[in-house]
Amino acid sequence: LFCCTDATSNETPAKVIDGKSVARKIREEIAAEISRMKDAIGVVPGLAVILVGDRKDSATYVHNKKKACEDVGITSYEVRLPEESTEQEVLKFISDFNDDPLVHGILVQLPLPSHMNEQNILNAVSIEKDVDGFHPLNIGRLAMRGRDPIFVPCTPKGCIELLHRYGIDIKGKRAVVIGRSNIVGMPAALLLQREDATVSIVHSRTKNPEEITRKADIIISAVGQPNMVRGSWIKPGAVIIDVGINPIEDAKSPRGYRLVGDVCYKEACKVASAITPVPGGVGPMTIAMLLSNTLTSAKRLHNFV
């Protein structure tokens, strides 16, 4: 798991793509828009979050989303249901939020308890309020040329936004996405393709992942394997967006663990031209994009330009 530290190189270290500071700037922009909208038409965007069960990580995510909403002026509505709730109870809340004009975005915190059908529940969210961008119609539109999804999933949208804000050219570049999940890998590949990159997807059945990844100008890794992508996988000068957030044991840390990405940072930062840190890279962008999608939804609903 641990990266070796003795790889020395005279290359200049990679530029750090600071997701925290970009997300802060985006949140300021959103707050300004929300106050402009409130002054002009008296509307405040609303985000409803449904949390089922008592997973600590999910509760933390929900807390962070709620706080971020408060910071920019979005009203948040929160429903916490016990682990043993029925699917029907969750669907009833979704249905009420779908009908509520004060709610512009609905988010169901994943993963759901195993006795629930995730697909049924996500499909029940009105496509106009699907600020997570997980509705099959949204993904379908994302995949088609000349169509626009109503919302783009937050994490991949945040990855592309980081590339834009750092002035990293995507057009004509070779991009490799590691991981093919519905939430990150697959939509990230579709977004890169929309930006005219030539995209390959590397996954658990790929025969020669290292060889394919080494051809990439841009790497987005979202596979959940700590330090899997080593320095030897990376073409000199490539740009790396690391979506992985993996806890690994660390006796020195007060929590007994620390967070690392999918990419071995110590090795990668000697080869890449730019790289996102973990934590502080893609994570803050995901929440910023959720706020952005919620604002977009409220503007669209009220024809506010």
Side-chain angles (χ1 to χ4, degrees):
L1 279 190
F2 295 98
C3 305
C4 34
T5 51
D6 52 7
T8 50
S9 148
N10 304 324
E11 302 295 315
T12 47
K15 180 197 291 182
V16 176
I17 296 176
D18 183 351
K20 243 187 191 153
S21 75
V22 174
R24 195 178 307 120
K25 185 161 183 355
I26 290 170
R27 280 154 71 153
E28 285 165 10
E29 292 163 9
I30 291 169
E33 270 300 272
I34 288 173
S35 82
R36 183 173 78 88
M37 183 170 171
K38 190 178 171 184
D39 292 345
I41 58 169
V43 170
V44 173
L47 175 67
V49 181
I50 298 172
L51 174 63
V52 188
D54 43 18
R55 281 180 62 125
K56 276 204 169 57
D57 57 348
S58 292
T60 303
Y61 291 140
V62 167
H63 172 78
N64 292 346
K65 286 167 185 170
K66 197 175 173 181
K67 188 170 172 342
C69 283
E70 282 166 17
D71 289 347
V72 297
I74 290 173
T75 309
S76 63
Y77 304 86
E78 191 184 329
V79 173
R80 287 180 180 238
L81 296 169
E83 182 85 21
E84 61 280 2
S85 306
T86 66
E87 203 169 299
Q88 279 322 108
E89 290 175 275
V90 179
L91 290 170
K92 172 81 177 82
F93 276 106
I94 291 174
S95 164
D96 291 348
F97 285 137
N98 279 341
D99 295 339
D100 186 340
L102 297 177
V103 172
H104 303 98
I106 301 170
L107 182 146
V108 180
Q109 184 62 48
L110 301 179
L112 287 161
S114 52
H115 64 276
M116 292 188 181
N117 181 326
E118 196 171 280
Q119 245 177 341
N120 284 351
I121 288 176
L122 292 181
N123 289 358
V125 174
S126 150
I127 192 166
E128 281 81 22
K129 298 187 180 186
D130 171 38
V131 285
D132 257 340
F134 294 160
H135 195 290
L137 284 177
N138 269 326
I139 298 287
R141 287 176 179 171
L142 186 61
M144 294 171 77
R145 296 192 61 153
R147 301 284 176 92
D148 283 317
I150 295 181
F151 298 105
V152 173
C154 301
T155 301
K157 184 180 181 181
C159 294
I160 301 295
E161 187 68 24
L162 280 176
L163 293 171
H164 286 325
R165 297 231 174 190
Y166 271 82
I168 292 157
D169 205 19
I170 305 175
K171 186 180 263 187
K173 295 289 171 65
R174 280 187 163 184
V176 164
V177 176
I178 305 175
R180 52 176 169 179
S181 71
N182 289 341
I183 293 176
V184 186
M186 202 261 310
L190 293 172
L191 281 170
L192 286 164
Q193 200 162 289
R194 281 189 159 235
E195 299 266 346
D196 298 323
T198 301
V199 185
S200 307
I201 298 176
V202 165
H203 50 77
S204 55
R205 303 284 183 273
T206 301
K207 287 284 192 288
N208 43 355
E210 192 173 333
E211 205 177 298
I212 293 168
T213 308
R214 205 184 294 122
K215 295 194 171 98
D217 304 304
I218 296 167
I219 299 167
I220 295 182
S221 183
V223 74
Q225 295 289 330
N227 295 327
M228 181 184 97
V229 179
R230 310 297 297 235
S232 59
W233 290 41
I234 298 159
K235 170 172 139 180
V239 173
I240 300 171
I241 306 287
D242 189 350
V243 183
I245 301 182
N246 310 296
I248 61 170
E249 279 181 29
D250 182 0
K252 288 194 218 100
S253 160
R255 291 179 296 191
Y257 68 91
R258 62 191 167 92
L259 296 176
V260 300
D262 296 341
V263 178
C264 174
Y265 191 86
K266 280 179 183 149
E267 293 176 7
C269 68
K270 296 184 173 116
V271 191
S273 62
I275 185 169
T276 57
V278 174
V282 176
M285 292 299 292
T286 298
I287 292 186
M289 294 300 106
L290 173 67
L291 303 174
S292 165
N293 280 354
T294 305
L295 169 61
T296 301
S297 178
K299 283 174 138 181
R300 192 185 283 133
L301 208 74
H302 295 277
N303 293 320
F304 182 73
V305 183

